[in-house]
Amino acid sequence: MKFATKAIHAGIEPDPTTGAIMTPIYQTSTYVQESPGKHKGYEYARTQNPTRTVLQNNLAALENGQHGICYASGLAATDAILKLFKPGDEIIASNDLYGGTYRIMVRVFQEYGLKFKFIGLENPSALETAITPATKMVWIETPTNPLLRIVDIQSIAAITKAKNTLLVVDNTFASPYLQNPLDLGADIVLHSATKYLGGHSDTVMGALILNDDELTKRLEFIQNACGAVPGPQDCFLVLRGIKTLHIRMQRHCENALKIAQYLSQHPKVSKVNYPGLENHPQHELAKRQMRGFGGMVSFELHGDSLPEAVRVMESFQVFSLGESLGGVESLCTHPASMTHASIPKEEREKNGLKDTLIRLSVGIEDVDDLIKDLERAIG
Ligand SMILES: *Cc1c(COP(=O)(O)O)cnc(C)c1O
């Protein structure tokens, strides 16, 4: 089956009791057993829920994986992965990372004795140098947030495979419509389903997709033991969102490219980050690795003035200023004070994230109105 058909049908059957075409919201905490231990595969809703099962199977199909596990949030999924490790284990993560991922690693799990190294991984040879026998996992995001750099999943996976190390790819920015890391050698794909998968800014959820049966069992054990499960209503919303993922992503990509091109020729704009631009340093890699370039664009203004960047962000009428991304509506974010505030300023600047960078999550409105909004705001 091709993507659009899978998005609508994979893992989804009409409800066996009524024929309801939409998966019901099984709002229940427990399931009646015929005799002790004799049940229909569902015992208690922390462990399993039918609405969640359908979503997990659908997500697994979209990422070409065997297993899906859904969590209360993207960070709950990250938390579960980090609980696979023991004090002294070392994790290498790319340095252009979602702020919350950096925070849970450094502020929570480093306290428990896990060791983290953050390095630039746009050049995979940096990993060859940094990896040691203690390295148990490599964690990448691509495109990266908020600088929209591209990490070569296949080259990184060749190194992690040779060293017998897990590779996790946070695929939130691309969505499974544009990129499938398991096909490129990753072991675990992570999504903040809050973003493009849900797509309507109405729920918070996370997901992991993987092939390995043993690793799936360990993660399911951790989930059941620790309890970070999503509610059935949220599973329903994400399932509904996914039915239009492909057409939303097509429009996100079209609009973002036009906006990146518009910004590139704007005299007040000094830098535009978008992997779909031919002058993006990794445009060729993005073309190979992705089926489109996504809906995220970031840019800087000439003069590097923070008050001027703030004035622009305050002047938008169609773009809303807010955290998050991936919804149908356009959002603008100031990474330094919002999504990435949990990364120390000197760490941010070392990685090229300036305090004046503006990040756009380009929505699926009419692009002419979005460009007019930028024109008015930048002036
Ligand atoms: C939002 C986000 C997360 C965290 O997901 P939540 O659902 O907010 O917990 C992780 N990675 C990326 C790239 C994100 O954008």
Side-chain angles (χ1 to χ4, degrees):
M1 259 194 248
K2 296 206 172 160
F3 192 92
T5 316
K6 285 200 282 191
I8 295 168
H9 295 290
I12 303 165
E13 295 290 339
D15 180 49
T17 53
T18 63
I21 192 161
M22 286 299 135
T23 308
I25 301 168
Y26 283 92
Q27 194 76 53
T28 189
S29 62
T30 190
Y31 309 87
V32 176
Q33 310 196 0
E34 243 174 77
S35 166
K38 195 166 171 213
H39 52 73
K40 298 180 166 66
Y42 292 92
E43 301 152 82
Y44 184 64
R46 174 167 20 77
T47 323
Q48 320 100 337
N49 175 282
T51 318
R52 180 165 27 124
T53 304
V54 171
L55 173 59
Q56 291 179 160
N57 293 340
N58 180 256
L59 278 171
L62 295 186
E63 283 289 8
N64 301 328
Q66 293 298 315
H67 310 285
I69 311 176
C70 289
Y71 291 88
S73 69
L75 279 172
T78 304
D79 176 67
I81 294 177
L82 292 170
K83 285 174 176 158
L84 293 167
F85 302 102
K86 294 193 173 59
D89 287 349
E90 185 182 274
I91 290 153
I92 297 180
S94 61
N95 61 9
D96 188 16
L97 206 60
Y98 176 69
T101 306
Y102 178 87
R103 181 176 56 202
I104 192 174
M105 288 176 172
V106 170
R107 303 278 302 278
V108 181
F109 282 88
Q110 199 163 264
E111 299 286 312
Y112 291 153
L114 301 198
K115 299 211 159 74
F116 296 93
K117 274 195 223 166
F118 298 92
I119 59 173
L121 288 173
E122 301 89 69
N123 186 352
S125 67
L127 181 60
E128 298 262 26
T129 319
I131 206 162
T132 74
T135 309
K136 294 291 187 316
M137 174 169 73
V138 173
W139 185 289
I140 60 176
E141 249 178 67
T142 180
T144 66
N145 177 12
L147 295 169
L148 287 313
R149 294 171 180 151
I150 306 293
V151 179
D152 186 338
I153 299 172
Q154 220 161 5
S155 301
I156 297 284
I159 301 169
T160 55
K161 283 241 164 6
K163 303 276 181 188
N164 219 1
T165 297
L166 280 182
L167 174 61
V168 178
V169 178
D170 182 338
N171 204 27
T172 301
F173 267 37
S175 89
Y177 181 66
L178 299 180
Q179 175 173 279
N180 295 120
L182 295 179
D183 292 346
L184 301 170
D187 298 294
I188 305 179
V189 170
L190 178 140
H191 281 285
S192 168
T194 313
K195 317 293 169 53
Y196 288 108
L197 292 174
H200 295 74
S201 308
D202 52 11
T203 188
V204 170
M205 200 193 292
L208 299 180
I209 300 100
L210 61 165
N211 282 317
D212 189 276
D213 297 343
E214 272 315 301
L215 193 55
T216 303
K217 283 207 190 91
R218 284 174 67 200
L219 286 164
E220 284 173 347
F221 171 83
I222 291 170
Q223 177 170 55
N224 191 45
C226 300
V229 295
Q233 165 102 17
D234 291 322
C235 293
F236 175 89
L237 286 171
V238 174
L239 262 174
R240 185 166 78 163
I242 288 173
K243 290 182 197 298
T244 55
L245 177 64
H246 47 295
I247 49 176
R248 284 187 285 109
M249 289 314 295
Q250 286 162 16
R251 183 60 64 86
H252 283 298
C253 290
E254 271 171 42
N255 283 0
L257 178 62
K258 285 187 187 151
I259 283 176
Q261 285 166 340
Y262 166 77
L263 290 171
S264 295
Q265 53 76 50
H266 197 292
K268 290 195 177 166
V269 172
S270 60
K271 183 149 191 261
V272 182
N273 304 308
Y274 185 64
L277 292 175
E278 275 168 26
N279 67 2
H280 184 284
Q282 295 151 304
H283 179 62
E284 289 306 315
L285 170 60
K287 275 207 295 203
R288 267 204 317 279
Q289 181 163 287
M290 305 173 74
R291 292 180 285 270
F293 305 107
M296 302 300 296
V297 178
S298 61
F299 68 100
E300 289 162 19
L301 299 168
H302 277 299
D304 261 343
S305 145
L306 184 56
E308 179 60 7
V310 169
R311 186 198 61 74
V312 168
M313 287 183 275
E314 287 172 349
S315 312
F316 285 125
Q317 291 174 12
V318 182
F319 281 87
S320 305
L321 182 63
E323 307 238 3
S324 201
L325 62 111
V328 290
E329 65 289 306
S330 291
L331 281 181
C332 108
T333 303
H334 179 229
S337 69
M338 297 162 74
T339 50
H340 289 64
S342 46
I343 301 175
K345 183 179 164 78
E346 72 189 59
E347 208 40 47
R348 290 198 306 261
E349 291 190 340
K350 212 168 71 194
N351 304 338
L353 200 183
K354 290 189 187 165
D355 278 1
T356 49
L357 186 84
I358 298 173
R359 188 190 83 179
L360 304 176
S361 169
V362 178
I364 63 171
E365 300 96 335
D366 192 299
V367 74
D368 293 343
D369 291 323
L370 298 178
I371 288 177
K372 263 192 220 136
D373 200 34
L374 284 162
E375 202 166 69
R376 184 171 43 221
I378 299 171

